[in-house]
């Protein structure tokens, strides 16, 4: 037997992990050595390259002034490149407009308005005529435009750098903006794609869009578009429409003097419009003629005739035009007009006779009493029982202020809001004979007081509304809830949000005159919704009726029960007969209505109605300053009476639900005919001229003073009696 220790396989396996670790360690050391050497070699090569580059750049080393200029040029290039990138970012949104296929066309409306009888009463929107080719425009018209707006138009690339620099120098010298540097292409870019806001962002967009136009259109196409799209004042766009508007002729037939006057409108069309300020327009035209001579387009001898015989525009003194009504009707057309046709003819509900009388009534009252009562403005809306607006006055003078106080002014209605409280009460268990105590009342820190600072004790609701007691509607609101009152008023036609506050029942939430007229018409027509409207029908440029109120508007819905409306009409009739609206009484005419006066006499209202018309009248000041104690029962009621007396002349009188007609009176005159929209609201009233009225009064006086004729012979003898020689 051997003494050696037996050999185990485990002994052979022990060195293997050591050998593996040794191999890994060797590889890592080799990799580290390679990285170190590579980095060293790269650094060495890079250092040599930098040294070589530095040695080469030393050839371009500059000192002194040359170095300063080089630094400035380098910074300018850097900042310029950054500025271009920023400007391009600003301009990108504007280029979205160029993707439209119809970017050369306009989305603006051009609307001709007719009255209810089909007679033209005005236009709104743009006046556009781009049918005349550039070749047929007078040569001196094109030269006048180029000499005044862009003499280097055919030379620059869309931005006139020289012209811009010249304009900047002139503006700096004058210390104000006296010259514009925009080229015709830039102005066209603004007209087609941008607004008139004066911002840096708009100028950046304008510059890039000008380059885009130059790249996509020829110079002649740009010039033609500019002459067709530039605003020329008076609602006219382009030289074709402006020629027809100002001179009543085709642009092909313009004279040199007329062409110079039109070319002068590009800079400031409102300021130099000849129908507004003819002397300023002629002075500007003379400057245009000078520009043509300076640009060597014409000689002084060629323009001297135009200087001595300046152009004269058509007289556009229009007299009474329903501008406030047209502004409102135009907005309504834009909401309802179907299709893509923007050249429309619209027949409206306006009655020209009633419109003239409404304006005369408002203006005469303000002229006669405005100074004494410290009131400067008024508004009126008159509608049919279905809401068709027959007359609208938005202020004293449209020329002085285009703000429409009939549709846009939000004013507190005062006590004229109370009928909404009472009709809601009638629909919730109360009646005109219900007794409610008139005594002091406080809700929190607010204590409503009556106009006379006195209290009547227990009163009926009919008497409370007739005398316009303040505590009663507040008590009613506490009993039935203000939310119900708001719901009723909104259903009747008040569109502005009413505030749910304790003062709501006495009229502290703001409303418009138009909404009040429509809401009170619900009482007039027996409880049906009467949304005010102006448009009867719309025709497109081909003469096809594309919208009709009778066809496209659904029938009105009932918003109030008839029996409750009859109760309310009886009460509001009593307001006119025995209450605060007595100044609105018209002999032989059944009417109803309510006065309204707000705190400090800031607003005065009278909204009254008959079976034929509902008319709302407001007096006040734009700055909310108090008037000279004007109440709803004074100037508003007097103005309402003046207008409504005329409006009911010559028409069949329709009864008020629950009231009927006054006595046996059935009509005030003897003729009637169906309305143009198919409803029988009576003949168009006519206002006699002052001269005709004086003649008729003179004839009446002669007849009263004349000697009575002897009685005529009777029987056959009278028939056979020979006539005496005269």
């Amino acid at each position: 037997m051997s003494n050696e220790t037996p050999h185990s396989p485990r002994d052979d396996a022990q060195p293997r992990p050591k050998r593996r670790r040794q191999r890994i360690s060797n590889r890592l050391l080799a990799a580290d050595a390679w990285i170190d050497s590579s980095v060293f070699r790269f650094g060495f090569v890079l250092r040599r390259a930098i040294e070589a580059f530095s040695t080469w750049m030393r050839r371009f080393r500059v000192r002194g002034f040359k170095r300063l200029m080089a630094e400035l040029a380098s910074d300018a290039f850097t900042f310029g490149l950054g500025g271009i990138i920023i400007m391009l970012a600003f301009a990108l949104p504007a280029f979205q407009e160029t993707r439209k296929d119809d970017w050369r066309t306009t989305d603006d409306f051009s609307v001709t308005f007719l009255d209810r009888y089909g007679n033209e009463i005005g236009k709104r929107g743009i006046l556009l005529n781009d049918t005349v080719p550039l070749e047929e425009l007078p040569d001196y018209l094109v030269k006048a435009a180029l000499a005044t707006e862009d003499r280097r138009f055919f030379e620059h690339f869309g931005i006139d750098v020289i012209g811009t620099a010249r304009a900047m120098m002139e503006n700096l010298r004058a210390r104000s903006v006296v010259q514009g540097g925009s080229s015709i292409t830039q102005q066209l870019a603004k007209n087609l794609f941008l607004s008139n806001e004066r911002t840096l962002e708009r100028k950046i967009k304008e510059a890039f869009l000008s380059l885009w136009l130059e790249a996509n259109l020829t110079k002649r196409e740009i010039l033609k578009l500019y002459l067709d799209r530039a605003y020329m004042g008076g609602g006219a766009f382009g030289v074709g429409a402006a020629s027809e508007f100002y001179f009543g002729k085709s642009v092909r037939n313009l004279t040199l003097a007329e062409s110079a006057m039109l070319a002068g409108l590009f800079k400031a069309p409102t300021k130099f419009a000849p129908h507004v300020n003819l002397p300023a327009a002629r002075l500007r035209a003379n400057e245009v003629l000078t520009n043509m001579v300076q640009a060597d387009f014409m000689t002084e001898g060629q323009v001297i005739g135009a200087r001595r015989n300046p152009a004269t525009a058509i007289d556009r003194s229009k007299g009474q035009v329903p501008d406030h009504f047209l502004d409102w009707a135009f907005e309504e057309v834009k909401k309802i007009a179907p299709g893509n046709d923007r050249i429309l003819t619209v027949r409206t509900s306006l009655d020209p006779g009633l419109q003239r009388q409404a304006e005369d009534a408002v203006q005469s009252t303000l002229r006669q009493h405005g100074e004494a009562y410290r009131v400067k403005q008024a508004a009126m809306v008159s509608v049919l029982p279905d809401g068709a607006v027959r007359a609208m006055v938005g202020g004293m003078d449209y020329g002085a202020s285009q703000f429409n106080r009939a549709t846009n002014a939000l004013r507190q209605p005062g006590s004229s809001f109370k009928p909404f409280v009472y009709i809601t009460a009638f629909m919730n268990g109360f009646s005109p004979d219900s007794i409610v105590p008139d005594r002091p009342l406080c809700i929190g820190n607010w204590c409503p007081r009556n106009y006379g600072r006195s209290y009547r004790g227990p009163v009926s609701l009919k008497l409370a509304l007739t005398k316009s007691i303040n505590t009663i509607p507040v008590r009613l609101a506490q009993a039935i809830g203000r939310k119900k009152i708001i719901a009723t008023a909104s259903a009747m036609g008040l569109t502005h949000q009413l505030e749910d506050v304790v003062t709501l029942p006495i009229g502290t939430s703001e409303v418009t005159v138009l909404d009040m007229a429509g809401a009170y018409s619900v009482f007039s027509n027996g409880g049906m919704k009467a949304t005010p409207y102006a448009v009867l029908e719309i025709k497109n440029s081909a003469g096809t009726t594309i919208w009709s109120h009778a066809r496209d508007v659904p029938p009105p819905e009932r918003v109030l029960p008839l029996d409750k409306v009859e109760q309310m009409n009886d009460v509001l009739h009593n307001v006119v007969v025995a209450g605060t609206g007595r100044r609105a009484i018209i002999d032989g005419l059944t009417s109803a209505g309510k006065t309204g006066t707000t705190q400090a006499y800031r607003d005065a209202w009278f909204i009254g109605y008959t079976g034929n018309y509902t008319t709302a009248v407001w007096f006040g000041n734009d700055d909310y300053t108090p008037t000279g104690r004007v109440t709803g029962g004074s100037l508003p009621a007097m103005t309402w009476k003046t207008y409504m007396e005329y409006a009911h002349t010559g028409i069949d009188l329709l009864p008020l639900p629950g009231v009927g007609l006054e006595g046996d009176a059935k009509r005030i005159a003897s003729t009637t005919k169906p309305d143009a929209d198919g409803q029988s609201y009576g003949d168009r009233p006519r206002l006699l001229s002052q001269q005709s009225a004086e003649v008729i009064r003179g004839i009446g006086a002669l007849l009263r003073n004349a000697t009575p004729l002897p009685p005529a012979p009777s029987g056959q003898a009278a028939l056979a009696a020979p006539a005496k020689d005269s």
Side-chain angles (χ1 to χ4, degrees), residues 176-197:
S176 64
V177 180
V178 296
Q179 284 191 14
S182 296
S183 66
I184 282 180
T185 311
Q186 288 176 278
Q187 295 181 54
L188 177 62
K190 180 188 68 175
N191 294 338
L192 290 178
F193 305 114
L194 305 173
S195 65
N196 289 323
E197 61 178 347

Side-chain angles (χ1 to χ4, degrees), residues 42-116:
F42 177 76
F44 178 77
V45 172
L46 181 62
R47 184 170 59 253
R48 293 290 299 272
I50 292 174
E51 290 176 355
F53 179 75
S54 298
T55 302
W56 183 76
M57 288 297 295
R58 287 192 189 101
R59 303 175 182 177
F60 304 100
R61 179 176 295 178
V62 292
R63 299 179 183 278
F65 180 74
K66 291 183 178 180
R67 179 166 184 172
L68 175 63
M69 296 303 297
E71 293 288 347
L72 291 177
S74 177
D75 291 342
F77 176 79
T78 302
F79 287 112
L81 182 61
I84 291 174
I85 295 174
I86 294 175
M87 289 191 296
L88 185 60
F90 275 120
L92 284 177
F95 284 104
Q96 299 296 328
E97 299 293 329
T98 64
R99 296 183 179 180
K100 298 180 181 178
D101 294 334
D102 58 346
W103 59 268
R104 298 195 193 194
T105 62
T106 176
D107 291 332
D108 295 324
F109 284 87
S110 177
V111 183
T112 300
F113 286 98
L114 313 177
D115 63 22
R116 56 182 287 221

